[in-house]
Amino acid sequence: MSKPIQYTDGPVGDVELVTDFLPSPDELKLKSDNTKITISLSTESVEYFKTAAEKHHMQYQKMIRQLLDDYVAHQKRMEK
């Protein structure tokens, strides 16, 4: 910010209450337990995920985990 904020004691104006849209603490829990593993991936794959994750402002490990979770969910649907 280039200009400092100037606060005043003037009127605030109309105040509008909004409904609570945040999830409850129970809804914030992870979908499932995670298991830590060690895996070797190609340098090309890791670089791809790092670049994509940076573009979307997220961690590349999380992106890989989400991809695998989505793949497993799809495969489970196909088995039925």
Side-chain angles (χ1 to χ4, degrees):
M1 293 184 353
S2 58
K3 292 170 110 181
I5 298 173
Q6 293 183 351
Y7 296 96
T8 65
D9 290 329
V12 175
D14 293 336
V15 176
E16 179 183 346
L17 294 178
V18 294
T19 58
D20 185 8
F21 59 89
L22 296 174
S24 69
D26 287 339
E27 294 172 319
L28 292 175
K29 292 189 293 187
L30 295 175
K31 289 191 288 185
S32 60
D33 293 332
N34 291 328
T35 302
K36 289 188 183 259
I37 64 165
T38 301
I39 185 171
S40 293
L41 302 173
S42 69
T43 302
E44 183 179 4
S45 293
V46 173
E47 289 303 319
Y48 172 82
F49 281 106
K50 283 184 176 183
T51 301
E54 185 176 329
K55 181 179 175 182
H56 296 286
H57 307 288
M58 62 186 304
Q59 297 175 343
Y60 76 96
Q61 298 97 329
K62 187 173 184 178
M63 186 177 274
I64 294 169
R65 183 172 48 249
Q66 184 64 51
L67 175 72
L68 290 172
D69 288 346
D70 290 349
Y71 176 81
V72 169
H74 176 76
Q75 292 300 316
K76 285 183 174 182
R77 285 192 305 272
M78 299 302 289
E79 290 175 356
K80 292 181 181 182

